[in-house]
Amino acid sequence: MIENEMNGTPVVIDIDSVHGYDREDSDRMEFTTDGTYSFENGVGRLSYWESEVTGLTGTLTQMEIAPGRVVVRREGTVTSQMEFEPGFRSRFAYETPYGTASMGMDTRQILSQFDERGGELEMDYVLDLEHMTAIRNKFCVRVRRADDICGM
């Protein structure tokens, strides 16, 4: 369950995502946001509030990043729990104010490197809605401690 409080060290999060199968039909979104981060027993935990940029204002996103596995939980305007693991097909409910959709996901690749100060994550996966309309997604996240950015 997602906690309503964001606990951890203040961080700056750079997110870059590409949705689509080829260059002509792909959409790219890049943004930077503030959040919190912690690292324990080889698992990074990241929390941030979504904004107008993502279209999910009022939603808290939390990520658990372990070697070869990522779980993304959202609670607020949109509620979902997505599990990413190469070779594993997952299904999840995507709840919005307009209704709930059944979605499926095939994770192709996860590359991650995290430690106490932050790290980087790259994921490549295919998403479908109600067993139709598959779209390929590439998602990159870079996490840096806020005091590292200011040179402190």
Side-chain angles (χ1 to χ4, degrees), residues 99-136:
T100 301
S102 175
M103 301 189 81
M105 184 168 42
D106 286 311
T107 305
R108 294 177 171 207
Q109 182 175 357
I110 295 175
L111 301 172
S112 65
Q113 184 173 349
F114 281 84
D115 60 23
E116 296 80 15
R117 301 199 72 77
E120 294 185 19
L121 166 69
E122 292 182 25
M123 294 193 302
D124 183 350
Y125 60 97
V126 176
L127 192 64
D128 69 70
L129 173 64
E130 303 288 345
H131 301 286
M132 300 166 50
T133 314
I135 188 166
R136 187 172 180 182

Side-chain angles (χ1 to χ4, degrees), residues 15-88:
I15 298 175
D16 182 8
S17 63
V18 179
H19 311 282
Y21 266 100
D22 55 41
R23 291 177 188 242
E24 292 82 32
D25 292 335
S26 65
D27 292 318
R28 182 178 210 132
M29 180 173 42
E30 297 176 81
F31 66 96
T32 299
T33 190
D34 296 323
T36 60
Y37 172 77
S38 63
F39 185 82
E40 186 176 337
N41 297 325
V43 178
R45 289 183 176 77
L46 177 64
S47 298
Y48 63 93
W49 286 98
E50 298 285 349
S51 68
E52 290 179 23
V53 173
T54 63
L56 301 175
T57 304
T59 300
L60 178 64
T61 295
Q62 292 187 323
M63 300 175 74
E64 290 181 12
I65 305 158
R69 185 168 192 271
V70 176
V71 177
V72 177
R73 294 179 185 95
R74 289 192 169 122
E75 188 173 286
T77 307
V78 169
T79 301
S80 66
Q81 177 170 315
M82 299 170 279
E83 297 182 27
F84 299 85
E85 188 172 343
F88 174 70

